[in-house]
Amino acid sequence: MDSKTLEFNRNSDHMSILMAEVNKKLEKIILGGGKERIAKLHEENKLTARERINLLLDKDSPFFEIGAFAAYDMYQDHGGCPAAGVVAGLGRVEGRMVMVVANDATVKAGAWFPMTGKKNLRAQEIAMENRIPIIYLVDSAGVYLPMQDEIFPDKEHFGRIFRNNARMSSMGIPQISAIMGSCVAGGAYLPIMSDEALIVDGTGSIFLAGPYLVKAAIGEEVDQETLGGARTHCEISGVTDYRMPDDTTCLQTIRKLVSKMGKPEKAGFDRVASRKPRLDPIEISGIMPENPAKPYDMLELLKRLVDDSDITQYKADYGKSIICAYARIDGWAVGIVANQRLVVKNAAGEMQFGGVIYSDSADKATRFIMNCNQKKIPLVFLHDVTGFMVGKRSEHGGIIKDGAKMVNAVANSTVPKFSVVIGNSFGAGNYAMCGKAYDPRLIVAWPTAKIAVMGGTQAARVLTQIQVSSLKKQGKAPDPEGEQALFEQIKEKYDSQTTPYYAAARLWVDAIIDPRATREFISLGIEMADHGIVEKFNPGVLQT
């Protein structure tokens, strides 16, 4: 697309507005519990979670935050929970890539909401899959009791975190914990199940039951420091390994511990010297249409993502609604699977521009995914898909079988997979393109992303028909205006559930990123994954 056209500039302006909205929301989230709570924390000689992370990581090294929008617009009856009360992400310590998880004590004293647990488990999952060290900066009042039934007993709840501690230990993945504030009850197991534990004198404390509960349970009166402070655990119990005078010294000591770690084994993904795209990545914003129903050329977008804008297409003239291609991103060899919006006619003869997966496209993608596994090439999926093609012709042609083969290949793929939801990600198309359920090492969304079973208009039509039919049976059929009002009401609610914020709040995606940062995201992800192990690919049953 010519960058001088009116449409290009309109698209670019639209993306800028969307990114400004993302950044405005992030600014508020970063404040956690607010400026007053931050000031109170400083009065207690404690740093905030984000200040601690800044001191821990190498200067000028990037920090890719995971789940900044976690719990966004959730738990409003409980006062909200910005970033789910915990900051997590990938960064470098002494040049070594690590996962950092830091409780935000400005949010409900760092208490664990249901999404807090889910976010911690996601951070551990990333560390385990990629075999990178994980550092916990603990400052938490424990489980948020009013919601204990949603965080305590189930497989994906609080206790799973300690199971993961044990699993990572057996896998040889280093874990370091710093007790920099409260560490109460079941939460006390997390730092002590780590390989090494540091505790900050005067502010750090760790015990199974605090002074009030001890008094209630056994009638013993004891103060917090005597019960579980730094001196107690470093001189008497031996529970912790290092006694630190303050937050800064604690973080500097963690850096020293990381610097002594042995070099990790590498998976061996191919990388050469990085080359910038010949076509400007900034132009991505102008290519992605403001109107999600309009077509655009995915190939032009890809040329602004890959090194030297050089793409080798696989089966370029077959199955054109999916582009499969080999390329390099920041020097890393990648296999790209991307949806292409085609201009087609529907059964009524109307023109449509959907990113639909047809049988031939599914067949091509399946073969390409298998090839990338054979050659140990990481996969990058770019979603803009409305689902698999429906209708008599498609069903007779075996679309279900062909779609199942693609889903099978994605599910059994053992090379690292990275997903970028740039537009629609609907229905089974989300699955075939490696949505969250299919274990992408990382999955992110552009501000233009929409994730749902189907589009808002289609869903609203279906649900409206169902409700109108029900009302007719009751003799309460609405007039045309009432039916339209019902449609609009349903559509508005459904659309609100398809936004990238709704998805990011529930960790269906790890982050909402600027499209222009996509290259950096993929490169960081593959560098992370290169620490892991690639198992032999076994495709399972793929019917011919």
Side-chain angles (χ1 to χ4, degrees):
M1 180 182 287
D2 188 347
S3 61
K4 296 179 181 179
T5 66
L6 179 62
E7 183 181 1
F8 181 96
N9 291 329
R10 186 163 52 240
N11 292 342
S12 185
D13 289 346
H14 177 66
M15 187 68 80
S16 295
I17 291 169
L18 293 179
M19 273 311 306
E21 183 182 355
V22 171
N23 292 328
K24 184 177 180 180
K25 293 179 189 298
L26 279 173
E27 287 176 6
K28 186 175 181 180
I29 288 169
I30 286 170
L31 290 175
K35 293 180 179 179
E36 290 184 9
R37 190 66 192 89
I38 291 172
K40 186 175 180 182
L41 208 65
H42 288 163
E43 290 172 5
E44 298 170 0
N45 296 319
K46 294 167 67 176
L47 299 173
T48 67
R50 295 180 185 278
E51 288 169 341
R52 288 167 176 167
I53 290 173
N54 288 339
L55 281 175
L56 174 66
L57 299 181
D58 296 347
K59 289 184 178 179
D60 301 321
S61 70
F63 177 62
F64 180 69
E65 187 168 350
I66 302 293
F69 281 97
Y72 176 76
D73 211 20
M74 296 172 67
Y75 310 130
Q76 296 307 308
D77 292 344
H78 299 269
C81 188
V86 62
V87 183
L90 295 161
R92 291 183 177 84
V93 174
E94 295 291 335
R96 179 81 173 247
M97 186 174 289
V98 300
M99 171 62 72
V100 184
V101 180
N103 299 114
D104 187 349
T106 69
V107 180
K108 294 289 192 297
W112 289 61
F113 282 70
M115 284 305 302
T116 314
K118 187 172 183 178
K119 185 171 175 178
N120 275 264
L121 288 171
R122 176 59 177 151
Q124 288 184 322
E125 179 183 43
I126 291 169
M128 292 168 76
E129 284 181 333
N130 301 285
R131 295 179 179 267
I132 57 173
I134 185 166
I135 298 168
Y136 307 99
L137 307 180
V138 185
D139 193 347
S140 172
V143 166
Y144 183 62
L145 292 178
M147 303 187 75
Q148 64 84 27
D149 61 321
E150 297 181 46
I151 181 63
F152 170 63
D154 211 342
K155 181 178 179 180
E156 303 301 328
H157 287 176
F158 192 62
R160 185 77 171 184
I161 290 163
F162 315 132
R163 174 265 189 194
N164 287 350
N165 288 141
R167 292 286 299 137
M168 280 190 277
S169 181
S170 71
M171 294 167 67
I173 299 170
Q175 299 175 83
I176 298 174
S177 287
I179 302 158
M180 310 182 81
S182 297
C183 188
V184 184
Y189 289 106
L190 184 147
I192 309 310
M193 292 186 74
S194 300
D195 301 302
E196 294 179 287
L198 305 86
I199 186 168
V200 178
D201 204 356
T203 56
S205 60
I206 178 169
F207 32 65
L208 293 181
Y212 293 114
L213 185 53
V214 168
K215 172 69 173 177
I218 63 173
E220 181 180 59
E221 292 191 7
V222 61
D223 64 83
Q224 184 163 303
E225 275 297 307
T226 303
L227 184 64
R231 181 177 180 183
T232 293
H233 287 308
C234 286
E235 295 182 11
I236 301 173
S237 72
V239 164
T240 51
D241 307 307
Y242 305 91
R243 182 178 176 183
M244 299 286 103
D246 51 48
D247 279 12
T248 301
T249 306
C250 182
L251 297 166
Q252 290 171 345
T253 302
I254 294 174
R255 289 182 55 82
K256 291 178 183 178
L257 294 174
V258 172
S259 72
K260 308 298 190 299
M261 292 179 182
K263 300 298 181 185
E265 296 180 14
K266 295 294 182 72
F269 303 124
D270 188 65
R271 191 181 196 185
V272 299
S274 176
R275 300 177 68 178
K276 293 181 179 180
R278 281 184 289 107
L279 301 177
D280 194 345
I282 290 177
E283 293 177 352
I284 289 172
S285 297
I287 294 172
M288 193 68 187
E290 175 187 6
N291 183 346
K294 282 192 173 183
Y296 64 97
D297 190 348
M298 175 64 78
L299 202 58
E300 288 301 313
L301 192 152
L302 293 178
K303 288 178 181 178
R304 288 157 176 82
L305 285 179
V306 305
D307 289 13
D308 202 34
S309 302
D310 185 21
I311 294 170
T312 303
Q313 281 203 72
Y314 174 78
K315 292 183 180 292
D317 298 320
Y318 178 73
K320 291 185 177 182
S321 71
I322 288 184
I323 293 173
C324 296
Y326 298 107
R328 290 189 181 273
I329 294 179
D330 196 24
W332 295 103
V334 296
I336 297 172
V337 181
N339 303 114
Q340 175 75 291
R341 291 188 191 176
L342 299 178
V343 181
V344 296
K345 289 184 179 181
N346 63 16
E350 300 168 334
M351 302 303 293
Q352 291 187 324
F353 313 107
V356 179
I357 301 176
Y358 294 85
S359 285
D360 55 357
S361 304
D363 176 68
K364 177 172 80 169
T366 300
R367 294 170 184 268
F368 181 73
I369 291 165
M370 294 172 70
N371 286 348
C372 288
N373 274 269
Q374 181 75 12
K375 295 184 281 189
K376 205 161 77 169
I377 299 174
L379 284 159
V380 177
F381 293 83
L382 275 73
H383 299 220
D384 195 352
V385 58
T386 53
F388 287 90
M389 190 60 188
V390 297
K392 182 175 69 175
R393 183 176 178 182
S394 294
E395 297 293 358
H396 289 185
I399 186 66
I400 296 175
K401 179 184 69 176
D402 292 321
K405 287 192 292 186
M406 183 176 175
V407 170
N408 190 320
V410 172
N412 284 299
S413 176
T414 57
V415 295
K417 306 184 292 283
F418 301 91
S419 282
V420 185
V421 185
I422 70 174
N424 299 324
S425 188
F426 294 160
N430 173 272
Y431 302 157
M433 292 297 293
C434 194
K436 183 66 181 293
Y438 287 79
D439 299 321
R441 296 294 178 97
L442 293 171
I443 178 170
V444 296
W446 287 4
T448 45
K450 291 182 182 295
I451 301 175
V453 171
M454 63 181 73
T457 300
Q458 294 89 339
R461 283 174 181 165
V462 172
L463 292 171
T464 301
Q465 288 171 10
I466 292 171
Q467 289 202 27
V468 168
S469 177
S470 176
L471 289 170
K472 284 181 177 178
K473 290 179 181 178
Q474 301 172 33
K476 302 175 183 177
D479 56 28
E481 289 185 3
E483 187 171 330
Q484 182 63 29
L486 180 61
F487 169 81
E488 295 295 341
Q489 180 184 356
I490 294 172
K491 184 178 182 300
E492 182 180 0
K493 180 181 179 181
Y494 197 91
D495 283 343
S496 71
Q497 295 177 353
T498 67
T499 69
Y501 301 110
Y502 194 90
R506 288 150 184 83
L507 288 177
W508 300 346
V509 296
D510 294 313
I512 302 173
I513 67 168
D514 188 324
R516 296 166 295 185
T518 304
R519 271 175 59 84
E520 290 77 6
F521 156 72
I522 294 169
S523 178
L524 176 74
I526 299 175
E527 181 187 348
M528 170 193 74
D530 201 33
H531 292 76
I533 295 173
V534 177
E535 298 176 359
K536 184 178 179 181
F537 175 64
N538 185 345
V541 179
L542 286 176
Q543 295 179 340
T544 57

